[in-house]
Amino acid sequence: MKVRIIGVLVLSAAAVALTAEQQPGSPPSARKERVNQSGTPGVLRPLRRTPPTTFTTDTDGITLPDDGTAIDPNTGARYRRGELLVQFHEGASASARVQALQAGRASRVPRTLVKDWELVALDPRADLAQAMETFRGLESVRDVSLNYLVTAQQFRPNDENYSLQWNFPLINLPSAWQINRGGSDDVVVAVIDSGLNTVNDTLVFVGPLVGQVPAVFSTVPDLVTAGRIVSPFDFVYDDDIPVDLDGHGTHVAGTIAQLTNNNVGVAGVAFNVKLMPLKALSSDWDSILAPGNPGGSMAVVAEAIRYAADNNAKIINLSLGGEGSAPVVREAIQYAVGKGAFVAIAAGNAGDDGNPTEYPAAYGGEINGAMTVGAVNRALQRAEYSGFHSYVEICAPGGELTSIFDYNNGVTQVGYDVDEVLDFVPPIVKLAAVRAGFRPRFDRFELRPMQGTSMATPHISGVAALLYSQGIRSPLAIEEAIKKFARPLGLRADECGAGLVDARRALRGLGLSR
Amino acid sequence: MRAPHLRHLVMAVVVGVVGVAGTTAAYGQTPAAPPPSPEPIGPRLGVQGLGFVGLDFPRAEQSVEALGLDKRQLEAGGGVRVTNLWRALFVDVHASRWSTSGERAFVDSTGEAFPLGIPLDIDATHVDVSVGWRFYPRNRRTIRTAVPYVAGGAGVVRYREESPFAEPGDDVRTSSTTYHVALGFDYPLNRWLAIATDARYRFAPDIVGDDGVSSVFEEDDLGGFQLSVGVRFGFGGAAPATPPPPAAPDEPARRPDFINPAPPPVDAQIGTVTTDAPIYLLPDRTRVPLRVLESGTSVRVLDQIEGWYRVEFRDPQFGTRTGYVEIKFVRR
């Protein structure tokens, strides 16, 4: 791969010249064609930079120690062998209790229980069912039961790399999952972004810069499954295959709805909801393969918002923005809210670069039912890039990387394998690479730590989806609930709005006095 | 006390006064009747127990509705009353408890409630200490005459609110001072047992309103009306100053004129005992009285002899009897 990249770099000069050949103002000819509809599923490569420790040794003759438990065949519950919980009648005398223990061949375990209950120990090999019958037959004994085991009830997903997701405990998500485990599948979340692969296919892009370029796509592992995708649409290529040529939309969708508790990858906030991927953003690869495409324009974004609302999306994620005002997008957001959709909007990533007013972020503060989301880092400080304006209404973890693969400080989700899509090289190098025969692969994935208000925003969309699933089915109410139960961080209101979203408190709602 | 509370207190007092006025009018035809003198034949100190069931109507109606709680809380309770501390003054302690279940909710700024399907259990235990006044009716023909009362006082409410998925500090267990006004009446069934009815309005200003759904609706009072009916039992009130005599050999029931009582004289008139008065077999106040007629008891005046009336009265033990009562105790 390195050899290939070096070769591409060498060709970059030539690429500049070739690029200059493009006639300005030539009509866009973005199109793609499906050529292999029986492609293979995507591959999620192991985590980078922090490879799991491999350790092999001879285990012959070694067994794990007996944990002293057994499974009750009647209930399937695990209990401690050789122990029973016995309740004596209130008036049972001490001597009667001693006699009972003798009859049951048990001894008292000194534990301070309640209401005449005692923990008693028997021979670990004793037949507890028979012992229970013996105890039940005694006049001094009121009740007897097995000493069942319990485990911590907080839901902790078993996804292989869940431990990287510091961002979820930060918003109290594991506790929230106790109340609502991943939302319901009748809630549709629209992700208006760079797309999301919904097919296993090879698509041929035809454009003036590079001619015909086949590219391999596959559904995103751990995210796109049968029946999960609703009304997908590509507003850049005007078809219903909203493939992601960037990885941004994939990452955002993952934070919202990555499949969870399946031993694979990482988790998502609302992992049961349905996704409506709507491609409205153009990436470097889109610009190379289909130059002049309409992606990223406010018109396309507005169209996508309207489409989402018309197709029954109840949550719309807008991890996008720009410095030009767009009344049409504002109207579209109002339209969507009017149709019952909650809209989450990224505050913008130029907080450390002049902090300009960004749109549609600025509209979030004006529209009830739409929220503008700022980003905090792992230390719960405003991420330096996060725009700070009066329209920032809430904040969520957006990460703040110290290096490209800084899993400890980025928001980790599935993205493309950076080597396969030349993620960190300039567009012109990508173009030169294609002309030199490089073919990007959009079927190779890896876990990617990212940062940005784009990463913070899907946390809010996910929580909104949980709230919707729980019964708060009004955009205004969702916004107010998220704000009301936010955790104040001591940051300025223009940095973090009402505070850091607290999923558990929002889902638990209100009682009469608290 | 915050302004809404003051307004409601005034309203409740007005309601109470009007209610008492109406009650007085119903049971006493002459206003401002003097209470019976406590000695030697007036009401005696008494202790009464009370058991009741009732309905509580919490004032925080919107909050209650939003959380799917019952608007009327069925409750049970009991109490103790010490009567006739001074004239008709009494003190009582009245405890009641209600509990209800609903589900947590979120209420947006428009007032729309969104139930969240998370169970919510609430209970409130009220203990009220009241000072009140009983209005003994003047024209009491029988022991089965209602005795109204008004009362007011303060108390305490212990409040609990719990839901699943709570973390430390989420659930509520607190107590607070309450205030109340009450009116009601007791309807005696016999000397020891009475049906007790009570209506009270309670202010519980410090439990709700700062957070929760109640803060959204700006409902800051957990109090409200409480209506209850129960049984009051024990001793006291207008107890006899002297014990009734044992069945006397000269029991009028054995006399032919009682067995077949002659019709009363044409000029016989109804009189009313103005204060508890002993009645004798003969016009002689040194004798053991047959009975003490309670204030308000109606008697039929049969004759008049030197400061005494010979009257016919209803003895709760022996039925219609005749005896002598001093004229000063009877108003005709």
Side-chain angles (χ1 to χ4, degrees):
Chain A
M1 182 58 69
K2 285 181 180 175
V3 172
R4 195 195 298 181
I5 294 173
I6 291 168
V8 167
L9 291 171
V10 170
L11 292 170
S12 59
V16 173
L18 289 168
T19 306
E21 292 172 4
Q22 183 188 2
Q23 295 300 314
S26 59
S29 55
R31 67 185 173 92
K32 58 183 189 277
E33 294 174 358
R34 304 181 69 169
V35 296
N36 175 14
Q37 298 192 25
S38 59
T40 55
V43 176
L44 181 63
R45 65 176 281 172
L47 194 64
R48 276 178 179 264
R49 303 294 167 89
T50 53
T53 303
T54 56
F55 186 82
T56 58
T57 187
D58 184 6
T59 57
D60 287 349
I62 298 176
T63 55
L64 289 172
D66 182 5
D67 66 355
T69 66
I71 294 176
D72 180 358
N74 297 321
T75 63
R78 188 168 286 277
Y79 64 91
R80 286 186 63 79
R81 290 200 309 270
E83 290 184 356
L84 288 176
L85 285 159
V86 178
Q87 185 184 32
F88 292 98
H89 283 293
E90 194 173 350
S93 65
S95 61
R97 296 181 187 213
V98 170
Q99 286 173 5
L101 294 182
Q102 288 172 342
R105 297 185 177 181
S107 60
R108 179 177 176 272
V109 178
R111 288 201 179 278
T112 308
L113 304 180
V114 293
K115 293 248 179 187
D116 298 296
W117 280 99
E118 297 282 3
L119 176 63
V120 303
L122 297 89
D123 186 321
R125 293 161 297 180
D127 181 345
L128 291 187
Q130 188 177 354
M132 290 172 73
E133 284 304 309
T134 302
F135 277 112
R136 286 195 179 108
L138 299 174
E139 279 189 13
S140 58
V141 173
R142 182 178 180 185
D143 198 2
V144 60
S145 73
L146 294 169
N147 189 17
Y148 288 110
L149 295 184
V150 295
T151 57
Q153 287 293 298
Q154 189 173 76
F155 174 63
R156 186 186 190 282
N158 61 15
D159 301 73
E160 183 182 6
N161 297 115
Y162 175 70
S163 60
L164 298 176
Q165 294 185 288
W166 54 268
N167 43 317
F168 284 177
L170 215 61
I171 62 170
N172 231 342
L173 197 55
S175 298
W177 284 329
Q178 295 298 119
I179 300 171
N180 191 308
R181 193 161 293 186
S184 60
D185 62 5
D186 62 345
V187 178
V188 178
V189 180
V191 181
I192 298 176
D193 212 289
S194 60
L196 179 70
N197 295 357
T198 57
V199 295
N200 297 318
D201 208 342
T202 299
L203 303 181
V204 176
F205 291 81
V206 182
L209 291 182
V210 292
Q212 291 192 355
V213 176
V216 180
F217 291 86
S218 74
T219 54
V220 182
D222 200 27
L223 181 59
V224 176
T225 54
R228 188 105 200 266
I229 304 300
V230 176
S231 306
F233 203 83
D234 187 333
F235 291 92
V236 178
Y237 295 88
D238 201 27
D239 59 32
D240 59 0
I241 316 169
V243 288
D244 186 3
L245 278 68
D246 182 87
H248 186 272
T250 302
H251 197 279
V252 167
T255 296
I256 295 170
Q258 195 79 11
L259 294 177
T260 299
N261 211 35
N262 61 350
N263 292 298
V264 176
V266 288
V269 176
F271 46 84
N272 292 323
V273 301
K274 285 190 165 63
L275 286 170
M276 182 188 292
L278 303 175
K279 182 178 173 74
L281 298 184
S282 177
S283 67
D284 288 352
W285 283 115
D286 289 300
S287 298
I288 291 167
L289 300 176
N293 72 69
S297 70
M298 288 294 189
V300 168
V301 171
E303 187 182 16
I305 293 170
R306 174 167 186 158
Y307 176 92
D310 288 344
N311 284 277
N312 209 31
K314 293 306 174 191
I315 313 292
I316 298 175
N317 188 91
L318 297 176
S319 288
L320 48 81
E323 294 180 29
S325 66
V328 63
V329 171
R330 176 188 174 142
E331 297 284 333
I333 293 171
Q334 286 176 323
Y335 175 82
V337 169
K339 297 204 75 167
F342 171 84
V343 183
I345 310 166
N349 296 335
D352 55 355
D353 187 19
N355 193 38
T357 299
E358 298 212 27
Y359 303 90
Y363 304 136
E366 303 171 10
I367 300 171
N368 290 327
M371 292 186 87
T372 300
V373 185
V376 292
N377 58 24
R378 192 170 183 172
L380 296 179
Q381 297 299 312
R382 178 180 67 83
E384 283 192 8
Y385 57 79
S386 183
F388 48 96
H389 294 275
S390 59
Y391 51 72
V392 174
E393 297 176 276
I394 194 74
C395 62
E400 193 156 22
L401 299 173
T402 58
S403 63
I404 291 173
F405 279 96
D406 181 7
Y407 290 109
N408 288 326
N409 293 296
V411 174
T412 299
Q413 279 296 341
V414 173
Y416 288 124
D417 183 328
V418 295
D419 292 337
E420 299 291 348
V421 295
L422 302 181
D423 210 11
F424 297 113
V425 299
I428 195 167
V429 178
K430 289 187 173 89
L431 174 58
V434 171
R435 288 187 169 169
F438 174 80
R439 293 292 177 263
R441 292 190 67 112
F442 300 100
D443 62 342
R444 295 289 183 266
F445 301 87
E446 66 177 327
L447 292 179
R448 294 280 303 275
M450 290 188 177
Q451 67 173 14
T453 51
S454 283
M455 278 65 248
T457 304
H459 288 81
I460 300 300
S461 293
V463 171
L466 295 180
L467 290 172
Y468 194 92
S469 303
Q470 192 69 21
I472 305 182
R473 303 207 158 193
S474 141
L476 170 66
I478 290 172
E479 174 173 342
E480 291 183 348
I482 289 173
K483 283 180 177 173
K484 180 176 180 66
F485 296 108
R487 172 182 163 200
L489 295 179
L491 302 177
R492 296 194 316 266
D494 65 345
E495 293 180 306
C496 197
L500 179 68
V501 61
D502 187 324
R504 184 195 76 90
R505 293 187 65 220
L507 276 172
R508 194 165 180 270
L510 298 167
L512 182 58
S513 71
R514 189 169 295 167
Chain B
M1 184 176 292
R2 283 169 278 191
H5 295 140
L6 190 60
R7 189 171 65 247
H8 291 121
L9 178 60
V10 169
M11 183 184 73
V13 169
V14 168
V15 168
V17 168
V18 169
V20 168
T23 308
T24 303
Y27 290 102
Q29 299 305 314
T30 53
S37 60
E39 294 296 341
I41 51 176
R44 302 178 102 190
L45 197 68
V47 178
Q48 300 172 336
L50 171 68
F52 65 85
V53 294
L55 290 173
D56 207 294
F57 302 83
R59 272 201 60 220
E61 288 181 1
Q62 289 178 283
S63 303
V64 163
E65 184 174 358
L67 296 168
L69 305 169
D70 291 332
K71 286 186 173 179
R72 296 177 297 273
Q73 313 298 343
L74 185 63
E75 63 185 347
V80 175
R81 173 178 290 178
V82 180
T83 58
N84 305 328
L85 287 167
W86 177 75
R87 297 196 172 184
L89 187 74
F90 70 85
V91 171
D92 78 10
V93 179
H94 179 283
S96 61
R97 179 178 182 274
W98 55 261
S99 63
T100 184
S101 296
E103 61 181 300
R104 299 179 74 83
F106 182 74
V107 179
D108 69 16
S109 56
T110 69
E112 185 177 1
F114 300 88
L116 298 176
I118 300 171
L120 172 68
D121 296 323
I122 291 175
D123 66 57
T125 303
H126 288 278
V127 178
D128 298 337
V129 178
S130 310
V131 176
W133 192 270
R134 303 178 82 192
F135 297 89
Y136 295 106
R138 306 198 64 184
N139 296 328
R140 193 172 179 180
R141 293 175 181 275
T142 155
I143 196 169
R144 292 190 174 182
T145 301
V147 180
Y149 63 85
V150 294
V156 65
V157 57
R158 292 190 63 180
Y159 177 79
R160 181 186 67 87
E161 180 178 324
E162 292 180 352
S163 290
F165 314 115
E167 290 189 351
D170 283 346
D171 286 337
V172 180
R173 283 172 185 267
T174 187
S175 58
S176 179
T177 304
T178 62
Y179 310 93
H180 64 274
V181 291
L183 59 85
F185 64 85
D186 297 336
Y187 183 78
L189 299 174
N190 56 41
R191 187 167 291 279
W192 299 280
L193 208 59
I195 294 172
T197 62
D198 183 276
R200 61 185 55 206
Y201 190 87
R202 218 185 259 120
F203 306 91
D206 298 322
I207 296 292
V208 299
D210 291 336
D211 200 354
V213 167
S214 56
S215 70
V216 179
F217 290 118
E218 298 181 344
E219 293 178 319
D220 54 5
D221 190 348
L222 188 64
F225 278 106
Q226 181 193 61
L227 303 175
S228 65
V229 60
V231 175
R232 202 180 291 284
F233 49 93
F235 302 94
T242 52
D250 52 355
E251 173 55 52
R254 297 176 187 165
R255 296 188 341 207
D257 66 337
F258 182 80
I259 297 169
N260 294 299
V266 175
D267 60 346
Q269 293 188 26
I270 298 299
T272 303
V273 176
T274 57
T275 184
D276 292 8
I279 186 165
Y280 301 90
L281 185 63
L282 297 170
D284 178 1
R285 64 171 69 94
T286 63
R287 295 176 67 95
V288 175
L290 296 174
R291 185 70 66 183
V292 174
L293 298 178
E294 289 185 6
S295 170
T297 303
S298 295
V299 295
R300 186 182 300 276
V301 177
L302 304 175
D303 203 352
Q304 180 175 340
I305 305 169
E306 294 179 357
W308 294 84
Y309 281 135
R310 189 169 74 90
V311 300
E312 184 181 82
F313 68 102
R314 176 162 292 277
D315 186 308
Q317 187 175 2
F318 299 109
T320 304
R321 300 178 72 178
T322 58
Y324 289 85
V325 63
E326 291 178 78
I327 287 174
K328 66 182 179 183
F329 291 132
V330 178
R331 187 180 69 241
R332 297 181 62 182

